Amino acid sequence: MSHSLRMLPVLLLFIYCSTTANAQSKLQGSVIDSKNEPVNEATVLLLNSKDSSLVKGLLSSSGGRYAFDKIAAGKYIVSASFSGYKQVYSPVVHVEENQSKSVDALTLSEKVSSLTEVTVAVKKPLFEQKVDRMVINVASNITAAGSTVLDVLERSPGIMIDRQNNSLSINGKNGVVVMINGRINHMPISALVQMLAGMPSDNVEKVELITTPPANFDAEGNAGYINIVLKRNTQYGSNGSYIATAGYVNGLVTSASANFNHREAKWNLYSNYSFNRMATSQVARFSHANQSQGVYFENFSETHRDPIETISDLKLGFDYELKKDVVAGILVSLYDRSWNMNAFNNSSVYANGILDTTVSVVNKEKHPLNSYDVNLNLQKNYKDGKLSFNVDYMDYREKNPVNYVNSYYRGNGNFLFDEEMRSNKNTPVRLWVGTIDLEQKLSGKINMSAGVKATFSSFTNAVAIERFLQNVWSYDPDLTATYFLHENISAAYSSLDWSPSEKTKIKAGLRFEYTNSNLKTAYIKNIVDRHYGKLFPSLFLTHSLTEQNTFSFAYSRRITRPTFWDLAPFVIFMDPNTFFSGNPGLQPSITDNLNASLVFAKKILSVSYSYEASPITNFSPHVDPKTNKETLSAENQDNSKSINISISLPFDITKWWTLQMSLNGSYTKMNGLYNSEPVALQRESLFGNAIQNFKLPKDFTFSISGFYTTGGLFGLYKMKPIGALDIGMQKKLGDKRSSLRLNYSNIFNSIRPHFAVNIPEKNLVASGEIHFNYPGLRLTFSHNFGSDKIKGKRDRSTGAEEEKDRLKM
């Protein structure tokens, strides 16, 4: 049975559940101040009276009115809050089936001191669609417990993961920038994918997919940003949590993480540490074919790998209030990855359908990565604004020694010869970043922000290939070289937020970036020497049509610069007929993005369009018909156009059963190039994701989630459908500070990405299948310690991270 048919019943189940009739009860009221004046745009929360869990949230409309429609019968508390006022709560309100009930007006009074202690447990939906981003609330997903951030992304709308080549894309575009707590992580994308594969999802609060970033974001990244927000508390005193996971996913996996926060009147010390060890066998299959001088060659290879990976990640920060309105801080991040693998590869070459030669490859590989990052920040708060300074320094080091033993045989099985090879790659990177950001309220309706940024980076990539000939190791001069790249990027931006009316908000921004980039070797100067400046406009508009219906529009222009690794003209040996190579001729690509979305009663419909000039496609295949060798490298294509339609459908079926669905459809057309000749590729794709939560007696919760995608374009390749079904159970223990979670992921063993390009008239036929994700059973224990009372916190943000108010929607 195909993956498509196996996953179809799961989707039909979710769609059936979504049509279940909902309760029609209604709860309404108003928010006023101490002068009996209505308070517009106050945050109003509907809370379950039993455990203070969040049911719904909205902003009060004109006249301070609010209304919660289609709620289940039950007992509720209504909360209202607004900047500068104390939060207020209603008495418990009992709502019957099909009843419309009014609550007495909630009166807000001005703050005299910090917030009174309040204990609130907030339950957020899995997906939240904003005007410029989709928010994935990882902490709300029980079935994600014990998994990794990469597993969560793999199940997210529009994201394609290539675990073999350590790359990812959004909506078919490769220019993805990854941030952690609002800070760009400057590791290469291959190292980032490996880091995310070792980052426990239990350590993450939410993941933001930002496809149309505003002007204060770097213009880098045609596909947009992925912002990973780690869990952090802001309570006074000592607080924290720890989590431990053990499981089996075609091999033993263990992980542990802990976060700690200690806060006094003027200072705050916080830390976050995670450890992950995975030992999982992997299988990958590749093929390519070409026609040469009347002979049709086919190359098939299969590799079995047994990597053991250990990752440690530590973040340690300290903030100190120098004055009442000045906060200084330091954040140190340490990352270390150990990766060891033995791989067994078998490759076969056929000529006109007859086995010609076979090659058996045994390779031993190590791939350690380590980095440290130091951030110094200072923030000055003053009336109607704030000024922030940040300085970052990052030191990143990567090594990749590999030993190969290649045994060649004729098609009839007779031995030919052995070949010993070894390769090594040593890559240190150093980076300085400085930023100054200003936020200023100009009037009651206009806010302004502006800033400057400078980035200085240096990169060395030393690649060496050696062959054992006549009992002596000798360097291959064609495949051995050291490259140096120096780059600096200067940027300035400004944006205005304008609220012409209570219902309409407009944000417009303009960013300018100037780039200097130079690539050389010790013997060849100016392999790449570029100097260019670009303007990047952005525009956002939001209009409230009614109390529960909002329309939004967004436009932004982005750039994707070639990475250091893509530019350096190195060659890395994968098997005797497959190589990875750099491309110093790569040019930056520019993308224009448009997005329109409509929110109606918490349902979200979004439509987006993008046009990308000179898109960069990673791992583009080139097969030499004379040697039958395939080279994979990054290439510029002509242009790419894509249209995406997505809809988010949350349902409260009963007070104990909720359903969250997300559907995404896309159409992509790429006008590409192969051997300087035009190639047209197009693909329609559909992505579906759903999660159902069931509240059971005695503090048990059961979840079932699944995703399915019909595939899409990945560079020049077309992806085949994949999907997965996960289930999970959670039990709150004791005083509910501890929990035990058991989940079973990828039940049908259906995550097997398959990609192929088949254009025989261009002599371009290649495919691959990777099986790195297996069914997994994980048991996770978590415990929170310290005070669970929410206190007021400083209004401060840095280039390293921004503090979020968890009670805001």
Side-chain angles (χ1 to χ4, degrees):
M1 184 182 292
S2 70
H3 299 322
S4 304
L5 293 177
R6 280 191 291 179
M7 296 306 300
L8 185 58
V10 180
L11 291 180
L12 293 176
L13 172 63
F14 288 139
I15 293 173
Y16 168 78
C17 293
S18 69
T19 60
T20 303
N22 294 319
Q24 301 298 312
S25 300
K26 181 177 181 180
L27 192 62
Q28 60 189 356
S30 63
V31 183
I32 59 176
D33 60 19
S34 56
K35 297 179 180 179
N36 210 30
E37 296 290 332
V39 180
N40 302 330
E41 297 189 356
T43 299
V44 186
L45 305 179
L46 182 65
L47 308 175
N48 190 306
S49 66
K50 181 179 179 180
D51 57 5
S52 296
S53 61
L54 180 64
V55 179
K56 289 186 178 182
L58 48 78
L59 298 178
S60 61
S61 63
S62 177
R65 294 184 296 274
Y66 65 87
F68 295 104
D69 296 318
K70 297 182 179 180
I71 61 174
K75 296 181 179 180
Y76 300 100
I77 296 173
V78 181
S79 165
S81 61
F82 193 74
S83 178
Y85 291 84
K86 293 181 181 179
Q87 193 166 10
V88 64
Y89 296 86
S90 74
V92 175
V93 182
H94 188 192
V95 180
E96 304 287 350
E97 290 282 357
N98 300 314
Q99 180 185 21
S100 180
K101 197 162 187 175
S102 296
V103 179
D104 292 340
L106 299 173
T107 303
L108 296 174
S109 58
E110 294 185 2
K111 289 182 179 178
V112 178
S113 58
S114 61
L115 275 174
T116 304
E117 292 185 352
V118 179
T119 301
V120 181
V122 179
K123 180 69 174 176
K124 295 183 179 180
L126 178 62
F127 294 105
E128 291 182 282
Q129 181 68 54
K130 308 289 186 179
V131 63
D132 61 349
R133 69 194 65 187
M134 172 175 283
V135 179
I136 306 168
N137 292 303
V138 180
S140 299
N141 187 0
I142 295 173
T143 59
S147 64
T148 69
V149 175
L150 199 65
D151 294 329
V152 173
L153 291 177
E154 196 164 37
R155 291 159 167 78
S156 302
I159 292 185
M160 302 296 292
I161 306 293
D162 182 352
R163 292 176 182 257
Q164 167 66 23
N165 298 306
N166 293 319
S167 65
L168 58 86
S169 64
I170 300 179
N171 298 326
K173 293 182 287 187
N174 298 316
V176 181
V177 176
V178 177
M179 298 191 300
I180 297 178
N181 286 342
R183 293 179 58 240
I184 294 177
N185 192 303
H186 295 280
M187 287 183 180
I189 192 67
S190 59
L192 275 170
V193 171
Q194 293 163 349
M195 183 184 76
L196 299 179
M199 181 181 290
S201 63
D202 301 287
N203 219 21
V204 176
E205 181 72 27
K206 62 183 177 181
V207 175
E208 297 177 331
L209 308 180
I210 310 171
T211 54
T212 51
N216 59 306
F217 281 70
D218 284 358
E220 176 69 29
N222 284 350
Y225 284 74
I226 296 176
N227 184 29
I228 300 166
V229 182
L230 301 178
K231 291 180 180 178
R232 182 178 171 197
N233 62 60
T234 57
Q235 292 91 332
Y236 287 119
S238 297
N239 303 261
S241 65
Y242 55 84
I243 301 168
T245 296
Y248 186 86
V249 188
N250 200 33
L252 193 63
V253 295
T254 56
S255 67
S257 63
N259 67 79
F260 175 78
N261 185 88
H262 183 79
R263 184 168 181 177
E264 298 294 342
K266 288 191 173 184
W267 60 274
N268 184 34
L269 176 67
Y270 57 96
S271 63
N272 191 300
Y273 175 75
S274 65
F275 172 85
N276 204 344
R277 184 185 185 277
M278 295 167 287
T280 304
S281 61
Q282 305 169 346
V283 179
R285 301 176 180 89
F286 303 94
S287 68
H288 66 263
N290 73 91
Q291 185 85 26
S292 177
Q293 298 179 348
V295 180
Y296 186 67
F297 291 99
E298 298 171 281
N299 191 93
F300 301 93
S301 65
E302 180 173 316
T303 180
H304 293 258
R305 310 169 8 142
D306 59 353
I308 297 177
E309 183 178 31
T310 303
I311 292 178
S312 294
D313 190 7
L314 172 66
K315 291 178 173 57
L316 183 64
F318 178 76
D319 295 332
Y320 185 75
E321 189 176 297
L322 301 174
K323 297 181 180 179
K324 184 178 180 180
D325 54 0
V326 179
V327 177
I330 181 172
L331 174 65
V332 178
S333 301
L334 304 175
Y335 175 78
D336 182 79
R337 171 183 180 263
S338 171
W339 193 86
N340 298 281
M341 180 194 74
N342 293 324
F344 302 90
N345 179 285
N346 291 292
S347 178
S348 303
V349 179
Y350 290 78
N352 292 331
I354 300 174
L355 181 61
D356 183 72
T357 57
T358 63
V359 184
S360 175
V361 181
V362 178
N363 72 284
K364 296 183 177 181
E365 180 177 355
K366 294 183 178 181
H367 199 172
L369 303 171
N370 59 78
S371 69
Y372 67 88
D373 188 345
V374 180
N375 167 264
L376 301 175
N377 55 78
L378 180 70
Q379 179 173 302
K380 163 70 174 177
N381 297 319
Y382 54 92
K383 184 179 180 181
D384 298 330
K386 61 183 177 182
L387 184 64
S388 303
F389 301 86
N390 280 272
V391 175
D392 279 87
Y393 173 75
M394 187 192 81
D395 186 287
Y396 166 88
R397 297 179 184 274
E398 173 185 0
K399 295 181 179 180
N400 190 200
V402 189
N403 292 305
Y404 305 89
V405 177
N406 309 324
S407 301
Y408 291 80
Y409 300 86
R410 294 188 186 277
N412 59 13
N414 291 336
F415 174 76
L416 288 172
F417 61 90
D418 283 334
E419 178 186 37
E420 289 187 65
M421 297 177 59
R422 64 188 185 191
S423 66
N424 192 23
K425 185 166 78 79
N426 188 5
T427 310
V429 178
R430 292 178 176 85
L431 186 98
W432 286 93
V433 181
T435 64
I436 302 175
D437 296 282
L438 170 69
E439 296 180 22
Q440 178 66 53
K441 185 175 183 179
L442 302 180
S443 68
K445 294 185 176 181
I446 300 177
N447 295 321
M448 181 272 292
S449 62
V452 294
K453 181 175 184 178
T455 303
F456 302 90
S457 55
S458 63
F459 157 90
T460 302
N461 194 36
V463 178
I465 303 293
E466 295 179 88
R467 303 179 188 274
F468 193 66
L469 302 172
Q470 298 178 348
N471 296 321
V472 177
W473 285 104
S474 302
Y475 286 104
D476 186 329
D478 295 328
L479 304 179
T480 301
T482 299
Y483 300 91
F484 307 93
L485 189 142
H486 296 275
E487 185 173 82
N488 65 76
I489 302 172
S490 302
Y493 76 91
S494 180
S495 66
L496 286 176
D497 290 272
W498 177 39
S499 301
S501 68
E502 293 181 356
K503 294 186 176 182
T504 303
K505 296 181 179 180
I506 299 173
K507 182 175 183 176
L510 185 64
R511 187 180 185 91
F512 177 77
E513 294 190 354
Y514 191 85
T515 304
N516 296 290
S517 185
N518 184 274
L519 176 70
K520 65 180 181 179
T521 71
Y523 308 101
I524 305 174
K525 307 297 182 184
N526 301 327
I527 298 174
V528 173
D529 190 38
R530 295 179 185 148
H531 313 274
Y532 56 91
K534 299 285 184 182
L535 284 171
F536 302 94
S538 61
L539 177 65
F540 303 87
L541 181 147
T542 302
H543 180 72
S544 299
L545 303 173
T546 64
E547 289 184 4
Q548 296 192 15
N549 299 332
T550 303
F551 171 79
S552 300
F553 170 83
Y555 163 78
S556 69
R557 175 172 292 173
R558 314 292 302 158
I559 186 174
T560 292
R561 300 177 181 87
T563 67
F564 301 158
W565 281 260
D566 290 337
L567 282 173
F570 65 86
V571 175
I572 289 186
F573 178 90
M574 182 174 176
D575 65 45
N577 292 303
T578 309
F579 301 89
F580 288 103
S581 176
N583 180 4
L586 280 176
Q587 300 291 326
S589 61
I590 302 292
T591 301
D592 290 285
N593 299 297
L594 294 169
N595 177 273
S597 61
L598 179 66
V599 179
F600 50 99
K602 296 191 73 175
K603 313 298 189 295
I604 304 167
L605 175 66
S606 176
V607 181
S608 63
Y609 170 82
S610 70
Y611 177 87
E612 185 174 3
S614 302
I616 298 173
T617 54
N618 292 321
F619 315 110
S620 296
H622 284 272
V623 180
D624 187 336
K626 295 181 180 180
T627 63
N628 189 34
K629 295 186 184 299
E630 181 184 30
T631 301
L632 304 172
S633 63
E635 296 279 350
N636 284 111
Q637 308 302 326
D638 188 8
N639 63 70
S640 176
K641 306 170 186 176
S642 64
I643 298 175
N644 290 273
I645 301 176
S646 65
I647 186 168
S648 176
L649 303 169
F651 296 98
D652 294 322
I653 300 173
T654 69
K655 63 181 180 180
W656 51 267
W657 182 6
T658 62
L659 167 66
Q660 170 80 40
M661 295 181 63
S662 174
L663 299 174
N664 182 287
S666 66
Y667 169 80
T668 302
K669 181 177 181 180
M670 176 181 289
N671 295 312
L673 296 170
Y674 184 72
N675 292 335
S676 302
E677 295 183 2
V679 174
L681 298 171
Q682 58 184 19
R683 188 69 183 266
E684 304 85 14
S685 65
L686 177 67
F687 177 93
N689 184 299
I691 179 170
Q692 298 184 81
N693 289 312
F694 303 86
K695 288 186 177 181
L696 306 178
K698 298 184 178 180
D699 293 320
F700 277 96
T701 305
F702 176 75
S703 291
I704 178 170
S705 65
F707 83 97
Y708 177 80
T709 176
T710 60
L713 286 180
F714 182 76
L716 293 179
Y717 301 97
K718 291 184 177 180
M719 304 289 292
K720 286 189 176 181
I722 60 172
L725 182 69
D726 309 326
I727 58 174
M729 177 75 76
Q730 174 177 280
K731 164 64 175 174
K732 293 286 188 180
L733 303 176
D735 57 0
K736 299 185 180 181
R737 288 175 172 241
S738 302
S739 66
L740 195 63
R741 288 171 284 180
L742 178 67
N743 70 70
Y744 184 26
S745 61
N746 193 14
I747 295 173
F748 297 132
N749 196 15
S750 51
I751 303 180
R752 299 187 181 188
H754 185 283
F755 45 91
V757 55
N758 186 19
I759 311 177
E761 64 272 18
K762 301 289 186 182
N763 219 5
L764 177 58
V765 178
S767 68
E769 179 180 358
I770 55 178
H771 195 189
F772 288 5
N773 196 315
Y774 295 86
L777 187 67
R778 299 178 179 90
L779 182 65
T780 301
F781 174 79
S782 62
H783 177 72
N784 298 318
F785 59 86
S787 173
D788 60 358
K789 305 297 184 180
I790 295 174
K791 291 277 192 176
K793 58 180 171 62
R794 299 187 189 98
D795 177 21
R796 76 98 175 166
S797 63
T798 73
E801 57 189 324
E802 297 178 354
E803 295 185 359
K804 305 290 186 179
D805 186 339
R806 294 188 179 182
L807 291 180
K808 289 186 177 180
M809 299 295 293

